[in-house]
Amino acid sequence: MKVEQIYTGCIAHAAYYIESNGEAAIFDPLREVQPYLDRAAKDHAKIKYVFETHFHADFVSGHLDLAHKANARIVY
């Protein structure tokens, strides 16, 4: 199992990438989703789930776009 924090310091935001046995989940993605798609491709993994643990007032989440591009399910 791989667990990676993807931290964006300028807005103090952390997203998480978790991968196991070729399946990945992304927690609280930023609006720009390509880094998550690239990370999964590097591991030859399929993003199956996008978790939105809470809504943010200071930025737009990428959960809708990522779920669409990865054909993944959104979990709230």
Side-chain angles (χ1 to χ4, degrees):
M1 175 180 282
K2 296 177 185 175
V3 178
E4 179 180 336
Q5 182 185 64
I6 302 167
Y7 189 73
T8 306
C10 62
I11 59 172
H13 171 267
Y16 295 87
Y17 169 88
I18 299 175
E19 184 273 327
S20 180
N21 297 321
E23 294 185 349
I26 308 297
F27 287 75
D28 298 323
L30 287 173
R31 178 70 180 104
E32 174 52 50
V33 300
Q34 194 59 50
Y36 310 113
L37 297 167
D38 293 344
R39 184 67 179 93
K42 179 181 172 186
D43 286 342
H44 306 288
K46 177 169 177 27
I47 298 173
K48 299 281 285 193
Y49 301 100
V50 179
F51 286 81
E52 187 67 39
T53 65
H54 59 288
F55 291 101
H56 304 271
D58 55 351
F59 72 91
V60 177
S61 174
H63 67 289
L64 294 174
D65 194 28
L66 183 57
H68 175 75
K69 290 182 177 181
N71 195 30
R73 293 184 62 193
I74 297 173
V75 180
Y76 291 100

